[in-house]
Amino acid sequence: MNFGNILNEIESTDPEVFEKVSQRRHIFKSFGTKVALAALPFAIGSMFKKAYGQTTGSIIDVLNFALTLEYLEAAFYEQGSANPALFPTSAAASAIATIGQHETAHVNFLKSAILASGGTPVSSPVFDFTAGGTFPDVFVSYQTFLAVAQTFEDTGVRAYKGQAGNLISNNDVLTAALNIHSVEARHAAHIRQMRKANGFGDVKPWITNNDSGIGAVVQASYDGEENTLQAGIQIKDINGKAISMSDASEAFDEPLSKDQILAIVAPFIV
Amino acid sequence: MKKETDLNVTNPEVLSTSLSRRNFLAFAGIGVLGTALVSSCKRDSGVMPDGTIDLGGGDIGILNYAYALEQLEAAFYTKVASSFYAGASADEISRLTEIRNHEIAHREFFKNALGSSAIPDLEVDFSSIDFNSRNSVLATAKAFEDLGVSAYNGAGKLIVNGDYLLLAGKIVSVEARHAAYIRDIISNGSFANSEVVDSNGLELSRDPNAVLSIAGTFLKSKISAKNLPTS
């Protein structure tokens, strides 16, 4: 897996990405090849060592996909935290700093895991958090910043959830991914509370139907969350209990596929 | 089979329950063979001579384990929402009522999914909780939610069937949202502090024995995880 592969996948959903990244693409083509892989020292000493022999290419692909998303989040919070004026209170700045530290820790952890599994960590893309001008004031307006943060966190939860099945053969990697997944959900819940407390959106810590509380621009990150049918079992009013459509949708978070996630993040990649 | 048909005629709820279970098993790729397997393993789950409830083995055992935890959570929030603690804000009443509904949804989902393989209803022991005290209720809620997240995180690797794993994933992130909310209304900003997230940014996992020893203090029923998978 190299970053060129991720770009190829983005290209299938965002035809313009080829032009946007053509220069970088060339660089990535010479990176992450089999030669580069073979040149890597055999990494030892981590919890993934014993899984080395079982770590398939597809698992490393998943880890690199996750790494790309963590790069996105880590860079986003780093740039946000660089402007203290963005935050109305020290509690807000502190919460964002905590979340940012977790995302940076995820980046470092995933890089180590990929190396220990015999893979090559992808490089960080260059990000444009205005998404080509969609969020021009993302690091100036607290409201816009939190809207993008909420979308990233809720999307991240869906991304990890969508990949769990691809990790089922490797207990260590699966557990690590699950242990990141629930942290992203905690982040999402807190950001949603921050938005509500500031009157930016009538949202709860959990996702109601497919409502973002933000607007159509982020709808792709919420489509499908309205599902109330789980494994063929209708959750609404289940067994005569007073479980509303909203309750039923909130009670289960829904996954997104890698392609869906890549299409969502493509506008943020230069 | 005839018996089931008879029941269906006289009790529409049984019809919908058995249909749901059939759908679930078909969805999970188990089908007829799996149904036979579940039946043949039935002796592994159920009530032992001393009254201990055995969760059973394999994926069914893990689903029963989740069902047990959801029973505990649902019972707790049902009691909380039946008469709120003194000084509960309107927001707290709304959110805690929603959490109750989520946990009931989870409980009923597992009950229907497991069908005849489901463990019985558990008897809870909430004698240590003061339901009129905000501190007592929220401290218990925090403990239950953090415990639930760590339980699902630890159970993922024990699941063989990818569809079950996805279902666990769909639930655990909602439990994590609950946990973050409860933590924040106890102390704003504690949604993911070092009690639950390590220096790598990873949340805790707990294995079933560790989880059940904590959960057991809130249960009259005794639960055995001896037949659950360990890897």
Side-chain angles (χ1 to χ4, degrees), chain A residues 47 91 95-96 98-99 101-102 105-106 109 153-154 157 161-162 164-165 167-168 171-172 174-176 178-183 185-190 192-193 196 203-207 225 227 229-235 238-244 246-248 250-255, chain B residues 13 16-17 20-21 23-24 27 91 95 98-99 101-102 104-109 111-113 145-146 149 152-153 156-162 165-167 169-174 176-181 183-185 188-193 196-205 231:
Chain A
M47 63 180 281
I96 294 302
T98 296
I99 295 172
Q101 283 158 15
H102 290 160
H106 293 164
F109 177 83
E153 296 296 344
D154 283 334
V157 173
K161 202 184 314 296
L167 303 175
I168 200 164
N171 284 348
D172 289 338
L174 173 63
T175 300
L178 290 172
N179 291 345
I180 295 177
H181 170 246
S182 58
V183 172
R186 287 174 184 266
H187 294 170
H190 188 77
R192 296 171 75 90
Q193 287 291 95
K196 187 182 180 188
V203 290
K204 306 169 186 175
W206 25 92
I207 301 171
E225 288 284 5
N227 180 36
L229 194 66
Q230 300 298 342
I233 297 172
Q234 177 54 250
I235 304 301
I238 184 170
N239 295 344
K241 308 293 180 189
I243 304 299
S244 68
S246 293
D247 295 328
E250 291 165 357
F252 293 79
D253 280 342
E254 299 296 324
Chain B
E13 271 198 23
S16 90
T17 301
S20 296
R21 177 160 179 270
N23 288 345
F24 178 69
F27 170 87
D91 186 73
R95 298 291 87 78
E98 288 157 9
I99 294 176
N101 293 348
H102 301 162
I104 289 174
H106 295 162
R107 180 190 68 197
E108 298 300 311
F109 167 76
K111 181 179 187 175
N112 289 12
E145 298 295 349
D146 285 344
V149 177
Y152 279 102
N153 278 351
K157 68 176 184 182
L158 307 179
I159 298 173
V160 172
N161 182 299
L165 176 62
L166 176 58
L167 282 160
K170 288 180 174 206
I171 292 174
V172 65
S173 55
V174 175
R177 292 173 188 272
H178 294 169
Y181 171 75
R183 286 176 152 271
D184 276 340
I185 61 172
N188 186 36
S190 67
F191 57 99
N193 70 14
V196 285
V197 180
D198 72 14
S199 61
N200 286 317
L202 306 189
E203 181 147 8
L204 287 178
S205 292
S231 65

Side-chain angles (χ1 to χ4, degrees), chain A:
Chain A
M1 183 70 178
N2 59 43
F3 190 69
N5 290 353
I6 288 183
L7 293 179
N8 284 336
E9 299 202 45
I10 295 173
E11 193 181 338
S12 68
T13 50
D14 177 11
E16 288 178 358
V17 77
F18 184 80
E19 284 180 20
K20 289 183 198 164
V21 300
S22 57
Q23 192 181 354
R24 293 173 53 77
R25 182 192 189 86
H26 178 71
I27 295 166
F28 287 122
K29 266 194 169 165
S30 61
F31 178 81
T33 62
K34 281 180 180 170
V35 174
L37 274 171
L40 262 174
F42 186 86
I44 56 170
S46 89
M47 63 180 281
F48 289 94
K49 183 187 160 200
K50 69 187 167 85
Y52 176 78
Q54 321 155 8
T55 305
T56 65
S58 69
I59 284 177
I60 291 172
D61 285 353
V62 172
L63 292 172
N64 265 324
F65 170 57
L67 176 58
T68 302
L69 299 177
E70 297 291 350
Y71 279 138
L72 173 84
E73 291 184 316
F76 174 73
Y77 292 112
E78 188 181 347
Q79 290 184 40
S81 289
N83 176 20
L86 187 57
F87 305 103
T89 63
S90 60
S94 172
I96 294 302
T98 296
I99 295 172
Q101 283 158 15
H102 290 160
E103 309 302 6
T104 299
H106 293 164
V107 165
N108 293 331
F109 177 83
L110 289 168
K111 278 185 181 172
S112 301
I114 291 164
L115 285 171
S117 301
T120 305
V122 293
S123 300
S124 177
V126 173
F127 296 111
D128 166 19
F129 292 109
T130 74
T134 303
F135 305 105
D137 56 355
V138 62
F139 292 122
V140 180
S141 157
Y142 186 50
Q143 180 167 358
T144 305
F145 178 81
L146 288 184
V148 174
Q150 179 193 304
T151 305
F152 282 168
E153 296 296 344
D154 283 334
T155 303
V157 173
R158 301 187 74 174
Y160 277 97
K161 202 184 314 296
Q163 294 305 309
N166 293 331
L167 303 175
I168 200 164
S169 65
N170 188 314
N171 284 348
D172 289 338
V173 177
L174 173 63
T175 300
L178 290 172
N179 291 345
I180 295 177
H181 170 246
S182 58
V183 172
E184 303 292 349
R186 287 174 184 266
H187 294 170
H190 188 77
I191 301 261
R192 296 171 75 90
Q193 287 291 95
M194 292 170 84
R195 290 191 62 240
K196 187 182 180 188
N198 284 278
F200 296 154
D202 185 18
V203 290
K204 306 169 186 175
W206 25 92
I207 301 171
T208 309
N209 302 319
N210 65 353
D211 302 338
S212 66
I214 295 169
V217 69
V218 301
Q219 193 54 44
S221 290
Y222 293 89
D223 282 343
E225 288 284 5
E226 71 278 14
N227 180 36
T228 62
L229 194 66
Q230 300 298 342
I233 297 172
Q234 177 54 250
I235 304 301
K236 181 178 181 295
D237 297 328
I238 184 170
N239 295 344
K241 308 293 180 189
I243 304 299
S244 68
M245 166 76 193
S246 293
D247 295 328
S249 69
E250 291 165 357
F252 293 79
D253 280 342
E254 299 296 324
L256 284 175
S257 71
K258 187 175 175 182
D259 286 348
Q260 288 170 314
I261 297 290
L262 291 174
I264 286 167
V265 301
F268 294 96
I269 294 178
V270 177

Side-chain angles (χ1 to χ4, degrees), chain B residues 2-230:
Chain B
K2 184 172 182 297
K3 191 182 169 195
E4 184 180 313
T5 307
D6 289 342
L7 282 171
N8 291 348
V9 171
T10 54
N11 186 344
E13 271 198 23
V14 170
L15 173 64
S16 90
T17 301
S18 78
L19 273 177
S20 296
R21 177 160 179 270
R22 204 148 45 223
N23 288 345
F24 178 69
L25 293 172
F27 170 87
I30 289 179
V32 175
L33 181 64
T35 306
L37 185 69
V38 169
S39 301
S40 72
C41 292
K42 215 174 152 188
R43 61 190 157 78
D44 290 335
S45 64
V47 183
M48 293 153 68
D50 70 349
T52 299
I53 295 167
D54 188 339
L55 297 171
D59 281 356
I60 296 296
I62 298 297
L63 295 179
N64 266 322
Y65 169 54
Y67 179 42
L69 296 175
E70 299 293 352
Q71 284 194 46
L72 179 62
E73 288 189 309
F76 169 72
Y77 288 107
T78 296
K79 182 109 163 100
V80 169
S82 69
S83 175
F84 273 93
Y85 51 79
S89 70
D91 186 73
E92 288 169 11
I93 289 172
S94 294
R95 298 291 87 78
L96 291 169
T97 302
E98 288 157 9
I99 294 176
R100 176 199 66 184
N101 293 348
H102 301 162
E103 307 298 7
I104 289 174
H106 295 162
R107 180 190 68 197
E108 298 300 311
F109 167 76
F110 283 115
K111 181 179 187 175
N112 289 12
L114 283 156
S116 62
S117 299
I119 56 170
D121 292 350
L122 300 181
E123 279 190 81
V124 296
D125 175 4
F126 292 149
S127 57
S128 63
I129 304 163
D130 177 357
F131 282 91
N132 195 41
S133 156
R134 185 178 188 271
N135 285 348
S136 178
V137 166
L138 295 185
T140 308
K142 170 182 155 183
F144 281 170
E145 298 295 349
D146 285 344
L147 182 69
V149 177
S150 69
Y152 279 102
N153 278 351
K157 68 176 184 182
L158 307 179
I159 298 173
V160 172
N161 182 299
D163 296 316
Y164 296 157
L165 176 62
L166 176 58
L167 282 160
K170 288 180 174 206
I171 292 174
V172 65
S173 55
V174 175
E175 304 291 354
R177 292 173 188 272
H178 294 169
Y181 171 75
I182 300 286
R183 286 176 152 271
D184 276 340
I185 61 172
I186 293 172
S187 174
N188 186 36
S190 67
F191 57 99
N193 70 14
S194 59
E195 292 171 355
V196 285
V197 180
D198 72 14
S199 61
N200 286 317
L202 306 189
E203 181 147 8
L204 287 178
S205 292
R206 284 190 179 93
D207 69 28
N209 285 325
V211 169
L212 290 171
S213 78
I214 298 169
T217 61
F218 297 96
L219 289 170
K220 285 196 187 94
S221 306
K222 294 224 176 314
I223 296 179
S224 168
K226 66 174 181 171
N227 289 316
L228 287 187
T230 54

